């Protein structure tokens, strides 16, 4: 981000905020200038991110908070300025991703197995711990580099290397060797580790001994593992098989590495090869960490209360309203969303608004006692005094029915062209509806990790989106959405947009009966359906179904759906 302010006509439209140019600035909107609230909000975000990496990550907490199974994050890098700048949030997201991968890949377990197999003396076990931990950091960063998560682990890695450099002592040391290797091996472009190590440190020969004579050979040995960690290990199917593969790989390289570093200090806190001359610095760092921990302990209960609210689970309510209880799949609310691009088709929007206006109810409002407009005969007595004898007539068109759109966002919709057309359709239709019913709502459902997620896609005037994925549990999604509708004098409208029949869960039959019982008009719109999918949908929905083959046909189809609901 360019720190300079760009303005026209001497008008400042935007200020540059240092630290605000991070990846998390694109998605993190819920912030607070109050420390305990901000730490709570960030922790909620980190938990959502870790949940996408694996099921056995456990609970993510700040260091100092109670934890039984999970990962504890040191919040020191982000404390002190609130709301937390995006750049610092990126660092914490990257650290969360690294630790989550270590948890899902059983890093600690295989380190203990390696130590028991080697049976090293204490001084070498201390060195091996650092070696193994860094090998796993390289591995987890390589795993994240194949996706957008690599952007965040890169931020965390570069920050940690920069911070560690401040604590390096005179070379050679294990800690400096491993951090130099980490920078090469985990590079996102995947080129650095293929080259020989060259000392590019500032000062080089002037301030310190050239590092190449110490680190060039051991880095070459360490780099020999990178291709296997990058390409071979991730292709192994089982987590235990991957762990065994990495353990054997590290143990095969360790003897040669040990020959090179046997008499090197590990780091400034090495209890075997260093005196106590760095003890004061270590104690200062420990005091800072204890102060942070004490602060978090005092906040622990407040933070837990703030984040205790979980996504709504509709599973039991769905089960209580269907006959085939055993087939019901788990369905939960979801708030992990992305902001969508504006895809409203203006021409189609105009045509839809014309159709909706024709079925909407007109309410007339008068503004009286005005100084201009149409003469109000009932206010003529004011002519000699105030002159406010005019009124203004305004017609407001409103649909009295509650309206909800439900979009199928499962795997069959994942084709780029089909999903793009669906988003154009849903955004345009909803934009037309919300003009005549400000209480209209928009939802989508998809499947992630054997759970059907129901997500609201329109909030506070902004469209959001999800990634289409998984199986189609239309029955559960329809019932869960219907449960959100408030009972009114007029029948609510639930318009379900899908491209195929339900293939998972309780099925649509019970959902149709539930809507009939609740006096909800369920109307289904088939979009981009194959001939086979059309036949399957007709069997499920019967007369409650219309097919949309061309986007331009939507206004007429909408008219038919609304007319059908009017008389049924």
């Amino acid at each position: 981000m360019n720190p300079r302010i760009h303005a026209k006509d001497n008008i400042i439209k935007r200020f540059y905020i240092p630290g605000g140019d991070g990846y998390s600035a694109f998605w993190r909107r819920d912030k607070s200038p109050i420390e305990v609230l901000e730490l709570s909000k960030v922790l909620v975000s980190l938990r959502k991110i870790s949940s996408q990496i694996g099921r056995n990550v456990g609970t993510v907490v700040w260091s100092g908070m109670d934890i039984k199974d999970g990962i504890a994050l040191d919040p020191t890098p982000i404390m002190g300025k609130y709301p937390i700048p995006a750049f610092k949030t990126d660092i914490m997201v990257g650290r969360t991703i690294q630790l989550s991968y270590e948890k899902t890949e059983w890093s600690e377990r295989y380190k203990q197995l390696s130590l028991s197999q080697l049976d090293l003396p204490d001084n070498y076990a201390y060195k091996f711990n650092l070696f193994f931990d860094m090998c796993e950091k390289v591995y987890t960063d390589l795993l994240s580099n194949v996706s957008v998560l690599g952007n965040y682990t890169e931020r965390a890695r570069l920050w940690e290397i920069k911070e560690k450099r401040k604590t390096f002592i005179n070379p050679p040391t294990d800690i400096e060797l491993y951090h130099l290797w980490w920078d090469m091996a985990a590079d996102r472009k995947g080129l650095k580790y293929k080259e020989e190590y060259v000392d590019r440190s500032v000062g080089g020969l002037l301030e310190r001994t050239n590092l190449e004579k110490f680190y060039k050979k051991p880095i070459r040995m360490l780099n020999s593992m990178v291709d296997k960690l990058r390409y071979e290990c991730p292709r192994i199917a089982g987590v235990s098989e991957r762990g065994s593969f990495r353990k054997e790989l590290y143990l095969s390289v360790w003897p040669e590495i040990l020959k090179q570093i046997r008499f090197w200090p590990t780091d400034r806190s090495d209890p075997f090869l260093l005196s106590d001359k760095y003890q004061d610095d270590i104690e200062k760092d420990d005091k800072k960490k204890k102060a942070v921990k004490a602060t978090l302990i005092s906040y622990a209960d407040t933070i837990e209360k703030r984040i205790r609210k979980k996504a709504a689970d509709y599973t039991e309510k769905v089960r209580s309203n269907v006959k085939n209880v055993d087939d019901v799949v788990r369905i939960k609310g979801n708030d992990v969303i992305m902001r969508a691009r504006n895809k409203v088709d203006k021409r189609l929007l105009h045509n839809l608004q014309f159709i909706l206006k024709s079925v909407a109810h007109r309410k007339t409002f008068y503004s009286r006692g005005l100084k201009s407009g149409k003469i109000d005969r009932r206010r003529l007595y004011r002519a000699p005094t105030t002159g406010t004898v005019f009124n203004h007539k305004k017609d407001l068109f409103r649909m009295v029915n509650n309206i909800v759109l439900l979009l199928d966002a499962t795997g069959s919709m994942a084709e780029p062209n089909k999903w793009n057309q669906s988003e154009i359709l849903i955004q345009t239709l909803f934009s037309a509806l919300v003009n005549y019913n400000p209480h209209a709502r928009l939802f989508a459902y998809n499947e992630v990790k054997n759970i059907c997620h129901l997500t609201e896609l329109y909030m506070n005037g902004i469209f959001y989106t999800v990634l289409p994925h998984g199986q189609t549990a239309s029955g559960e999604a329809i019932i869960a959405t219907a449960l959100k509708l408030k009972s009114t004098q007029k029948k609510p409208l639930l318009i379900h947009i899908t491209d195929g029949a339900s293939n998972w869960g309780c099925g649509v039959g019970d959902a149709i009966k539930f809507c009939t019982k609740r006096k909800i008009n369920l109307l289904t719109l088939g979009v981009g359906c194959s001939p086979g999918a059309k036949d399957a949908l007709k069997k499920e929905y019967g007369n409650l179904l219309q097919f949309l083959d061309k986007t331009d046909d939507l206004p007429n189809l909408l008219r038919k759906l609304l007319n059908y609901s009017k008389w049924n």
Side-chain angles (χ1 to χ4, degrees), residues 344-360 399 425 427-433 435-436 548 550-560 562:
V344 175
D345 185 326
K346 293 183 179 180
R347 185 178 63 83
L348 180 61
L349 176 63
H350 174 76
N351 294 335
L352 289 171
Q353 286 177 335
F354 178 79
I355 297 297
L356 292 170
K357 188 175 181 179
S358 67
V359 298
M399 297 184 68
L425 173 68
Q427 287 190 19
T428 307
L429 176 57
F430 188 81
S431 297
L433 288 170
N435 277 333
Y436 297 97
L548 180 65
K550 296 180 181 179
T551 307
D552 291 339
D553 296 337
L554 180 59
N556 290 329
L557 283 180
L558 181 62
R559 189 198 300 273
K560 290 180 181 179
L562 293 174

Side-chain angles (χ1 to χ4, degrees), residues 310-346:
K310 296 181 178 179
D313 193 325
Y314 304 102
T315 311
E316 291 305 319
K317 290 183 179 179
V318 172
R319 281 179 178 161
S320 63
N321 288 286
V322 299
K323 290 183 178 179
N324 49 340
V325 178
D326 295 336
D327 293 334
V328 174
V329 298
R330 191 176 180 188
I331 178 167
K332 294 177 63 178
N334 175 49
D335 57 358
V336 179
I337 51 178
M338 302 172 289
R339 191 161 180 170
R341 294 181 179 178
N342 185 358
K343 298 183 178 181
V344 175
D345 185 326
K346 293 183 179 180

Side-chain angles (χ1 to χ4, degrees), residues 504-544:
W504 189 43
C506 66
V508 174
D510 285 322
I512 294 174
K513 292 178 182 177
F514 177 78
C515 290
T516 304
K517 182 180 177 182
R518 286 287 187 98
K519 296 183 178 180
I520 297 171
N521 275 316
L522 173 62
L523 312 171
T524 303
L525 202 59
V527 179
C529 302
S530 63
K534 286 184 177 180
D535 293 337
L537 283 171
K538 287 177 182 177
K539 291 179 182 179
E540 281 190 332
Y541 296 96
N543 294 330
L544 305 176

Side-chain angles (χ1 to χ4, degrees), residues 30 38-50 60 62 303 306-309 335:
D30 190 12
E38 180 71 342
L39 290 173
S40 302
K41 293 176 186 294
V42 172
L43 190 56
V44 169
S45 300
L46 298 179
R47 288 183 177 182
K48 290 177 182 178
I49 292 167
S50 69
V60 180
W62 297 126
I303 291 175
R306 292 280 176 184
I307 63 179
R308 199 165 289 164
K309 184 179 178 182
D335 57 358

Side-chain angles (χ1 to χ4, degrees), residues 56 101-107 109-110 139 233 236-246:
N56 61 335
Y101 272 124
E102 288 180 13
K103 190 79 173 176
T104 57
E105 295 292 325
W106 299 355
S107 295
R109 175 181 179 180
Y110 283 98
Y139 174 62
C233 189
I236 300 173
V239 61
S240 59
E241 288 79 4
R242 290 195 300 273
S244 298
F245 177 87
R246 298 196 310 278

Side-chain angles (χ1 to χ4, degrees), residues 401 491-493 521-523 558-568:
N401 307 76
K491 279 188 174 183
L493 301 178
N521 275 316
L522 173 62
L523 312 171
L558 181 62
R559 189 198 300 273
K560 290 180 181 179
L561 290 173
L562 293 174
N563 287 336
Y564 179 84
S565 66
K566 184 177 181 180
W567 303 109
N568 291 276

Side-chain angles (χ1 to χ4, degrees), residues 261-495:
I261 66 172
R262 186 185 302 271
F263 301 109
W264 294 3
T266 306
D267 51 25
R268 63 176 182 167
S269 58
D270 192 326
F272 304 102
L273 295 175
L274 288 180
S275 61
D276 296 334
K277 65 177 181 177
Y278 299 104
Q279 193 63 32
D280 292 341
D281 293 336
I282 295 172
E283 288 178 357
K284 287 180 182 179
D285 292 342
D286 289 341
K287 286 181 180 179
K288 290 180 181 178
K289 290 180 180 179
K290 287 179 181 178
V292 171
K293 186 175 181 180
T295 302
L296 287 170
I297 290 174
S298 66
Y299 288 161
D301 291 339
T302 306
I303 291 175
E304 284 295 346
K305 287 178 182 177
R306 292 280 176 184
I307 63 179
R308 199 165 289 164
K309 184 179 178 182
K310 296 181 178 179
D313 193 325
Y314 304 102
T315 311
E316 291 305 319
K317 290 183 179 179
V318 172
R319 281 179 178 161
S320 63
N321 288 286
V322 299
K323 290 183 178 179
N324 49 340
V325 178
D326 295 336
D327 293 334
V328 174
V329 298
R330 191 176 180 188
I331 178 167
K332 294 177 63 178
N334 175 49
D335 57 358
V336 179
I337 51 178
M338 302 172 289
R339 191 161 180 170
R341 294 181 179 178
N342 185 358
K343 298 183 178 181
V344 175
D345 185 326
K346 293 183 179 180
R347 185 178 63 83
L348 180 61
L349 176 63
H350 174 76
N351 294 335
L352 289 171
Q353 286 177 335
F354 178 79
I355 297 297
L356 292 170
K357 188 175 181 179
S358 67
V359 298
H361 290 251
R362 181 173 64 182
K363 289 186 178 181
T364 303
F365 296 89
Y366 289 91
S367 297
R368 302 183 185 277
L370 303 178
K371 292 185 177 182
S372 63
K374 188 177 180 180
I375 292 178
D376 186 354
R377 290 178 295 175
R378 291 180 293 178
R379 299 290 187 273
L380 287 175
Y381 67 88
R382 294 181 178 177
T385 54
T386 62
T388 55
V389 295
F390 301 96
N391 67 19
H392 177 70
K393 177 182 175 182
K394 182 179 181 181
D395 291 331
L396 190 64
F397 293 88
R398 285 285 181 263
M399 297 184 68
V400 295
N401 307 76
N402 281 336
I403 303 173
V404 176
L405 299 185
L406 178 62
L407 176 63
D408 177 356
T410 55
S412 57
M413 300 285 279
E415 296 177 19
N417 186 52
K418 182 184 287 189
W419 182 243
N420 182 59
Q421 290 299 318
S422 298
E423 286 195 302
I424 293 173
L425 173 68
I426 199 76
Q427 287 190 19
T428 307
L429 176 57
F430 188 81
S431 297
L433 288 170
V434 82
N435 277 333
Y436 297 97
N437 189 332
H439 302 295
R441 301 178 74 179
L442 171 61
F443 293 91
Y445 64 97
N446 61 355
E447 179 251 324
V448 179
K449 297 179 181 177
N450 291 320
I451 299 175
C452 180
H453 290 276
L454 186 66
T455 310
E456 188 158 8
L457 298 185
Y458 183 84
M459 290 175 285
N460 301 320
I462 299 173
F463 282 108
Y464 294 91
T465 187
V466 294
L467 294 176
H469 183 273
Q471 304 174 81
T472 307
S474 299
E476 284 83 350
I478 291 170
I479 295 174
T481 306
L483 288 168
K484 288 179 169 289
L485 287 169
K486 296 180 180 179
S487 58
T488 59
Q489 292 180 346
K490 294 290 182 177
K491 279 188 174 183
L493 301 178
L494 199 166
I495 302 177

